[in-house]
Amino acid sequence: MAFIVQATGIDAIKKMLKTKSNITDAFIVALAGNPNTGKSTVFNSLTGLNQHTGNWTGKTVTTAQGKYQFKDKSFTLVDLPGTYSLSSHSEEEEIARNFICFGSPHATIVVTDATCLERNLNLLLQILEITDKVVLCVNLMDEAKRKKIWIDLKKLSKILGIPVVGTSARSGEGLEELMHTVYKLCHNQITTNPIKIKYNEKIEELIQITEEKIAKFTNRKISSRWISLKNIEGDKTFLDSLDKYLGIDSAKILPNEEVDLNLRDQLVSSRVILAENISSQVVSCKKEKEYDFDRKVDNILTSKILGIPAMIALLGIIFWITIVGANIPSTVIAKMLFGLEERLTALSVAYRLPNWLHGTLILGIYRTLAWVVSVMLPPMAIFFPLFTFLEDLGYLPRVAFNLDNFFKKACTHGKQALTMCMGFGCNAVGVIGCRIIESPRERLIATITNFFVPCNGRFPTLITISTIFIAGADVGPLRTVIATITITGIIILGVIMTLVASKILSKTLLKGLPSSFTLELPPYRNPQIGRIIIRSIFDRTIFVLGRATAVAAPAGLFIWLMANTNVRDLSLLDYCAAFLQPFAYLLGMDGYILMAFILGIPANEIVMPIIIMSYMASGTIIELESLAALRILLISNGWTWLTAINVMLFCLMHFPCATTLLTIKKETKSWKWTLVSFLVPTIAGIIITFTVTQISRLSKLIV
Amino acid sequence: MKGKNIPLHMIACGKSAKVKELTTAGSLRRRMLDLGLVNGTIVEAIRKSPSGDPIAYEIRGAVIALRSEEASKIIVDVID
């Protein structure tokens, strides 16, 4: 029997994880817990797999898995989505519940927040009703100590009847003991005797009746008490899964009575009260001290008067630091790389390389790559760590708190503020993040409008143009200030456009009212500077730069070939640009720029390099030794401040990149909504640049 | 605002209240119960967001923001 149990368990796991890897030889350990308990930090510390952990609800929407070795055994750790409960009102809860129920993990680690144990126990108590192979990991012990909260772990373990380990995953404290405990549990060296929740007489009676009926069908693969409880709750999704994974058709076996809402309340209440009871026995704290610091900070960051200005100021400071800091390294790198270009050219002359080869390799591929690196690397290396810092601190949920009312007025879900923030990293990630929104209508709106916040790939374009062009005329400190204000303004415009587009969609294509939601404001956490730098450099900067160079190299080649293949004195590039010119002119840009955006569909990072390439290849031969030279190049190609503004606006609002579009297709499973996601920002961009251009021209602000 | 049987979103910031009843059904009710909003739970209104809504409450040690639509379905007695 045991063998069959294992086999079905692993099949279920494979099904859930969609994996073909051979995981039969390792112990399977599920990692469950509330959001914001440092669960992902535990996961990363144990497996070394660098999965990004954000300090907000619902970051892990799909399960991640990683391996670790302890003593002679290997363990496969499955990071379940963070949930407060297993009663499945959401996709995340269903994933977590199904894995623990039907995946038959050898052990389950439940990660809890030491500073908020009572609330976390609710989930643990539910898991204990499913399985007794549980280790409780009380994480964030360091935070608790700082907040003067003490937890009697021995007593807790005695009350719960399961092993309890205190950890501070960020510093690695207690993880060795955790692994050891899991090891012993998997080898049956620890016997657990989990606490049973006693419900009132009526419920217990019902449980008994149901248990008797179901017991002979379960083959002891699953707790019949748990099935009975779910049946009383009338949890349909669970009963469906029961059929799907174990072939138990509960509808035929179980009494199908009307769900008694009162009983359901009592079920939950019994758990909550037990959690309160346990927590009061093991937690002691110095009264009211604990929230002081967080509250003081929140008094400023989410206050009526200062909340929104503080948010804008923080954003502004980040951009200012980025712009000021990136200036010098950008110039240095550019000098270096273009110095190298000269040498390469000299070499190719010396070795008598044919002109076309020199052209494609050095003027095409190398030059584009050099631009991508020198223009993009420094701002990214500064911007990403700063943004990750805010993320780690726990500031993003406060952004959602500050902006929620606007989203409510746009008839959308409050979590859209969070998916919008994820979009700052990468729009494709933002789109995937939209899964945390349960209502399909609101999820679609969040998906379609996600592109209105600029991602990693578009920030460098915005930063470059505002630094060298908008602010270029002034010298000194004013220059960076103007650039900062411009970028911050663009971002605010992006947020406003998100809201406007959401509102319009809510009133037209996707009519409806906002659904309910609750937003947790987790405690501020001490960000770990070292980790932030490593993570943002490796996970983000290198990733984005890698993607950009991978796309830029062939694009550079392609552009160079187009620029140098002449038909009747004009290059192919000129023909294309000339074709787009009339339309581009209406939008205050030129044909080359519009073509760069179109060619930039694979990755937005290369839009700026393509523009530069096209200008350089089409006749105006100058040596670009510094960033200041770029300004001269742009001006000599007819750029004015209006062109710069329009390029930035269009960069903010145009068709999403290929990755994002494919992700949207995958998530919505519909070409129609993918097309809508393509059209909405594009139309918005065209209307806005057209309006800005026409007004400026009519009012004779510019010729 | 003082008194008994009032919706949660009406209580002033800094005030605490005891949950008496949830006037909602379905998944929202479940979610509220999961947050620990069972009868007798003490809830403190901490702060309003800049535009007045949502409001952040302390519920069993966690800070949770609720829109007025949701909070209005939680009936409480104000504690002086």
Side-chain angles (χ1 to χ4, degrees):
Chain A
M1 188 56 68
F3 174 72
I4 299 169
V5 173
Q6 294 296 20
T8 34
I10 281 156
D11 279 350
I13 291 172
K14 283 186 175 172
K15 213 184 224 170
M16 283 176 215
L17 298 178
K18 294 191 179 87
T19 168
K20 289 188 186 89
S21 68
N22 184 18
I23 49 175
T24 40
D25 56 335
F27 283 118
I28 315 270
V29 180
L31 192 65
N34 285 18
N36 302 309
T37 52
K39 191 166 67 69
S40 296
T41 315
V42 172
F43 180 74
N44 288 340
S45 308
L46 288 182
T47 63
L49 208 151
N50 234 330
Q51 188 217 32
H52 182 74
T53 60
N55 193 3
W56 75 57
T57 306
K59 183 81 189 244
T60 320
V61 197
T62 48
T63 52
Q65 49 177 326
K67 269 185 191 285
Y68 74 87
Q69 282 279 336
F70 187 78
K71 291 191 176 169
D72 53 329
K73 275 285 168 189
S74 70
F75 294 78
T76 301
L77 197 61
V78 180
D79 189 17
L80 300 177
T83 61
Y84 296 112
S85 167
L86 292 179
S87 315
S88 76
H89 354 259
S90 66
E91 201 181 328
E92 300 120 66
E93 290 188 9
E94 206 175 316
I95 293 171
R97 185 202 62 202
N98 281 354
F99 191 83
I100 299 170
C101 270
F102 307 114
S104 312
H106 297 90
T108 301
I109 302 173
V110 180
V111 184
T112 51
D113 178 351
T115 66
C116 190
L117 189 67
E118 181 185 331
R119 179 161 138 78
N120 286 235
L121 285 178
N122 183 23
L123 177 71
L124 174 80
L125 291 173
Q126 291 182 57
I127 291 175
L128 287 180
E129 287 183 318
I130 304 175
T131 168
D132 47 11
K133 291 267 193 180
V134 177
V135 181
L136 176 65
C137 163
V138 183
N139 192 30
L140 299 168
M141 290 297 277
D142 45 355
E143 294 274 329
K145 198 173 162 194
R146 192 167 64 81
K147 289 183 172 173
K148 303 203 165 45
I149 299 171
W150 284 277
I151 298 173
D152 188 340
L153 296 176
K154 271 193 187 146
K155 197 170 173 189
L156 184 60
S157 169
K158 218 173 145 193
I159 297 173
L160 293 171
I162 54 164
V164 174
V165 182
T167 60
S168 305
R170 282 174 175 237
S171 60
E173 221 180 288
L175 292 176
E176 183 78 17
E177 194 193 337
L178 181 65
M179 287 192 281
H180 197 208
T181 313
V182 170
Y183 180 89
K184 285 197 284 189
L185 194 66
C186 287
H187 284 87
N188 294 317
Q189 290 167 7
I190 301 176
T191 6
T192 57
N193 181 23
I195 187 171
K196 280 261 172 329
I197 308 173
K198 277 292 274 179
Y199 297 102
N200 65 28
E201 260 173 52
K202 184 152 185 221
I203 296 175
E204 288 294 343
E205 205 174 289
L206 268 173
I207 292 174
Q208 214 188 335
I209 299 171
T210 323
E211 262 196 287
E212 279 167 14
K213 288 195 172 139
I214 199 87
K216 54 178 174 276
F217 295 96
T218 58
N219 283 338
R220 287 167 51 210
K221 283 176 199 166
I222 184 167
S223 150
S224 46
R225 185 180 167 87
W226 168 253
I227 300 180
S228 312
L229 283 167
K230 291 275 116 181
N231 190 52
I232 295 170
E233 282 181 24
D235 188 337
K236 248 201 86 38
T237 63
F238 173 76
L239 299 175
D240 288 346
S241 305
L242 198 59
D243 194 14
K244 184 177 159 199
Y245 291 106
L246 296 179
I248 299 174
D249 188 358
S250 55
K252 283 186 189 153
I253 306 162
L254 296 177
N256 199 5
E257 286 164 39
E258 268 295 287
V259 179
D260 186 340
L261 289 177
N262 221 343
L263 283 185
R264 228 162 70 162
D265 279 15
Q266 285 165 15
L267 277 179
V268 185
S269 299
S270 310
R271 259 198 325 259
V272 171
I273 289 163
L274 180 62
E276 183 185 303
N277 186 358
I278 295 172
S279 148
S280 70
Q281 288 183 61
V282 298
V283 179
S284 53
C285 64
K286 290 222 167 132
K287 201 84 185 106
E288 288 304 316
K289 261 285 182 217
E290 50 185 314
Y291 301 107
D292 267 359
F293 175 73
D294 282 5
R295 287 198 181 177
K296 269 182 201 151
V297 175
D298 272 340
N299 277 342
I300 301 165
L301 291 182
T302 61
S303 79
K304 195 176 172 72
I305 300 160
L306 290 174
I308 290 177
M311 198 170 70
I312 295 172
L314 265 175
L315 201 67
I317 291 169
I318 287 187
F319 287 128
W320 185 75
I321 296 175
T322 307
I323 290 167
V324 171
N327 230 340
I328 294 166
S330 262
T331 314
V332 172
I333 294 175
K335 269 214 175 100
M336 222 168 63
L337 291 175
F338 290 112
L340 195 63
E341 185 192 311
E342 271 171 38
R343 288 224 195 122
L344 287 173
T345 304
L347 270 178
S348 79
V349 171
Y351 285 93
R352 291 166 197 276
L353 238 55
N355 256 342
W356 63 268
L357 194 60
H358 170 251
T360 49
L361 288 183
I362 294 165
L363 299 182
I365 296 175
Y366 180 83
R367 192 178 269 185
T368 314
L369 283 181
W371 264 110
V372 171
V373 174
S374 62
V375 170
M376 287 177 56
L377 182 61
M380 281 197 305
I382 299 170
F383 176 75
F384 293 156
L386 291 173
F387 194 76
T388 316
F389 176 81
L390 280 190
E391 215 178 303
D392 255 35
L393 200 66
Y395 181 64
L396 297 191
R398 271 79 187 174
V399 171
F401 181 65
N402 284 340
L403 294 179
D404 181 61
N405 205 20
F406 299 110
F407 283 97
K408 189 170 94 179
K409 286 193 175 132
C411 296
T412 62
H413 202 278
K415 281 186 192 163
Q416 195 178 332
L418 295 181
T419 60
M420 187 182 77
C421 288
M422 290 186 213
F424 278 118
C426 167
N427 293 118
V429 172
V431 167
I432 294 173
C434 291
R435 286 184 197 167
I436 62 174
I437 299 170
E438 284 116 50
S439 131
R441 182 189 76 87
E442 289 164 337
R443 193 188 312 146
L444 267 176
I445 292 179
T447 306
I448 295 167
T449 56
N450 193 271
F451 203 69
F452 282 114
V453 288
C455 61
N456 289 342
R458 290 183 281 160
F459 268 121
T461 306
L462 294 173
I463 292 174
T464 313
I465 294 179
S466 67
T467 315
I468 65 166
F469 211 90
I470 299 293
D474 285 292
V475 189
L478 206 60
R479 179 188 155 118
T480 50
V481 173
I482 293 172
T484 306
I485 292 172
T486 314
I487 294 242
T488 313
I490 290 273
I491 304 297
I492 294 169
L493 179 69
V495 175
I496 293 171
M497 286 309 295
T498 304
L499 290 164
V500 171
S502 300
K503 176 97 187 180
I504 293 173
L505 285 168
S506 293
K507 295 288 167 206
T508 55
L509 283 179
L510 292 158
K511 278 189 190 142
L513 292 169
S515 66
S516 66
F517 101 114
T518 53
L519 172 74
E520 180 172 10
L521 302 176
Y524 287 103
R525 301 266 148 84
N526 277 337
Q528 287 193 305
I529 307 294
R531 256 188 205 215
I532 287 177
I533 291 173
I534 290 170
R535 229 173 46 207
S536 50
I537 297 285
F538 285 94
D539 284 8
R540 297 191 168 176
T541 311
I542 303 283
F543 172 77
V544 174
L545 199 67
R547 204 175 82 121
T549 45
V551 182
L557 179 65
F558 183 67
I559 298 286
W560 190 87
L561 288 175
M562 273 181 70
N564 288 279
T565 312
N566 289 330
V567 181
R568 284 189 213 146
D569 286 348
L570 276 177
S571 68
L572 288 179
L573 192 71
D574 296 329
Y575 278 112
C576 292
F579 174 75
L580 292 169
Q581 179 63 30
F583 182 60
Y585 180 76
L586 287 176
L587 308 184
M589 295 181 280
D590 66 32
Y592 293 104
I593 302 172
L594 200 54
M595 202 171 58
F597 276 109
I598 294 169
L599 290 172
I601 285 184
N604 275 290
E605 290 87 338
I606 58 167
V607 169
M608 205 59 208
I610 293 180
I611 295 175
I612 297 163
M613 278 294 300
S614 329
Y615 289 154
M616 301 217 314
S618 51
T620 334
I621 298 162
I622 53 160
E623 291 299 322
L624 286 179
E625 278 161 351
S626 70
L627 287 182
L630 182 55
R631 182 181 152 78
I632 298 166
L633 175 77
L634 295 178
I635 290 175
S636 66
N637 276 279
W639 276 48
T640 61
W641 62 265
L642 182 64
T643 324
I645 295 255
N646 282 322
V647 172
M648 290 207 285
L649 287 173
F650 202 69
C651 179
L652 183 73
M653 294 171 277
H654 67 286
F655 28 83
C657 73
T659 316
T660 306
L661 285 172
L662 288 175
T663 311
I664 294 173
K665 167 68 183 52
K666 220 169 130 192
E667 292 294 311
T668 60
K669 297 186 185 67
S670 141
W671 284 112
K672 181 189 152 198
W673 292 118
T674 312
L675 183 69
V676 173
S677 312
F678 180 93
L679 290 176
V680 166
T682 312
I683 292 172
I686 291 173
I687 293 176
I688 289 186
T689 48
F690 178 81
T691 315
V692 167
T693 308
Q694 298 313 317
I695 289 177
S696 310
R697 284 185 186 146
L698 283 176
S699 55
K700 305 252 186 314
L701 281 171
I702 199 115
V703 185
Chain B
M1 189 171 184
K2 280 187 179 182
K4 292 191 180 298
N5 293 325
I6 60 166
L8 182 62
H9 73 287
M10 303 285 284
I11 71 169
C13 287
K15 285 278 179 191
S16 292
K18 199 182 223 174
V19 176
K20 269 189 101 173
E21 197 193 346
L22 303 179
T23 59
T24 171
S27 74
L28 180 58
R29 186 184 187 87
R30 299 228 35 130
R31 194 171 317 205
M32 286 179 173
L33 291 171
D34 274 335
L35 289 175
L37 287 166
V38 302
N39 279 1
T41 304
I42 311 278
V43 176
E44 185 194 342
I46 301 178
R47 74 184 70 256
K48 288 183 175 179
S49 89
S51 49
D53 188 35
I55 299 173
Y57 301 95
E58 195 198 312
I59 305 167
R60 295 183 181 269
V63 181
I64 311 280
L66 298 173
R67 284 179 177 175
S68 57
E69 282 80 357
E70 278 85 58
S72 68
K73 289 175 181 138
I74 303 167
I75 307 297
V76 295
D77 286 347
V78 177
I79 301 168
D80 292 316

